[in-house]
Amino acid sequence: MGQCFSDTASLTDFVNKPGVEDKQLTAQDINRGLDLTAQHLKGKKKQITVVAVGGAINTILLRSRASTADVDFFSVDTVNNPTLRDGIRSAAKTMQLGEGWMNNHTALFITSDAKTNIYNEAIRDGVVIFDKPGLKVVAAPWMYCLVAKLEKAGNRGNAKSYDMSDASQYLIQESKRRGAKIKVADIEAKAKAYGVKIQEAQIEQLKALCGAYMEE
């Protein structure tokens, strides 16, 4: 899950929608929606880069999931909010989806400084999910994806059955990126840096799923 909207009204336009979508989005659905949004932005002579977080990464890039409920995103660009919002709405209308198919709900849970750091890391890492004139989508840093998913998995009211599987995919990708095993201390340090709270139980589950990519 782009914009981290500075005004309450425009932020609410996006964040009130997640969780109400009836349709699960496949990789094909996401690509079509992003393509339609890009076409709208191109027509308005805009070029916007957003950072994706969560299930869209697993569905469209890692292919570890068949579908996801929405495309969760953010960025630090507030200038083009209305144009992006209109593009998302236009794509939703064409595809007969709710406007929350693409939303920045995740931005509510990230501090301003953390958003800037994560965005800059994502740009540097350059893990591209979608790139066409008008719109570019890059994946959030693997370590942010990992600790955010571990936090979610530890929240009984919000956890999903696939959360730990998603987390293991992110850890594996980070291990491949580094060419080394990931230390538990590194995971804990990143969680603290991003302002994310993780529990020992999720670390132990992660070890059970992909311990070959971890070390103490």
Side-chain angles (χ1 to χ4, degrees):
M1 165 191 76
Q3 321 300 316
C4 295
F5 304 114
S6 58
D7 59 288
T8 303
S10 59
L11 178 60
T12 304
D13 283 344
F14 283 96
V15 302
N16 282 352
K17 305 297 183 179
V20 302
E21 303 299 329
D22 292 325
K23 178 179 173 61
Q24 287 285 304
L25 303 175
T26 64
Q28 183 177 9
D29 294 328
I30 296 170
N31 272 312
R32 186 182 178 210
L34 294 176
D35 189 60
L36 289 167
T37 303
Q39 289 177 36
H40 178 88
L41 295 173
K42 181 184 176 183
K44 299 296 183 180
K45 302 186 185 306
K46 301 292 185 180
Q47 182 64 45
I48 299 175
T49 298
V50 305
V51 176
V53 182
I57 297 173
N58 297 80
T59 303
I60 197 172
L61 180 65
L62 301 181
R63 302 286 176 147
S64 59
R65 271 207 247 161
S67 63
T68 187
D70 56 17
V71 178
D72 215 342
F73 75 95
F74 70 89
S75 89
V76 294
D77 176 12
T78 60
V79 175
N80 295 307
N81 291 348
T83 310
L84 177 60
R85 183 167 58 243
D86 290 346
I88 291 171
R89 287 173 172 168
S90 177
K93 183 176 181 180
T94 299
M95 296 178 66
Q96 297 184 317
L97 298 173
E99 292 174 9
W101 77 271
M102 185 173 178
N103 65 81
N104 74 335
H105 183 246
T106 190
L108 289 179
F109 307 100
I110 309 173
T111 66
S112 179
D113 287 346
K115 279 195 286 275
T116 300
N117 291 337
I118 294 166
Y119 182 84
N120 290 337
E121 282 185 58
I123 298 301
R124 287 196 301 269
D125 290 348
V127 180
V128 178
I129 294 176
F130 177 90
D131 189 8
K132 287 192 177 180
L135 179 66
K136 183 176 183 178
V137 183
V138 296
W142 296 122
M143 287 297 279
Y144 174 73
C145 292
L146 171 61
V147 297
K149 188 64 73 167
L150 290 176
E151 181 181 50
K152 182 172 177 285
N155 184 340
R156 292 184 179 180
N158 195 35
K160 302 293 184 182
S161 60
Y162 49 72
D163 284 342
M164 289 306 303
S165 175
D166 285 357
S168 69
Q169 291 294 325
Y170 303 145
L171 184 135
I172 290 169
Q173 292 301 316
E174 177 65 11
S175 177
K176 289 179 177 178
R177 186 187 74 82
R178 296 186 188 187
K181 294 182 178 182
I182 307 302
K183 295 181 179 180
V184 172
D186 286 348
I187 297 173
E188 294 171 341
K190 275 296 185 181
K192 184 176 181 180
Y194 291 133
V196 173
K197 297 180 180 179
I198 59 176
Q199 301 175 33
E200 183 63 28
Q202 277 62 58
I203 293 292
E204 292 303 317
Q205 289 179 52
L206 195 62
K207 290 177 182 177
L209 287 169
C210 52
Y213 295 88
M214 300 174 65
E215 65 181 10
E216 293 296 338

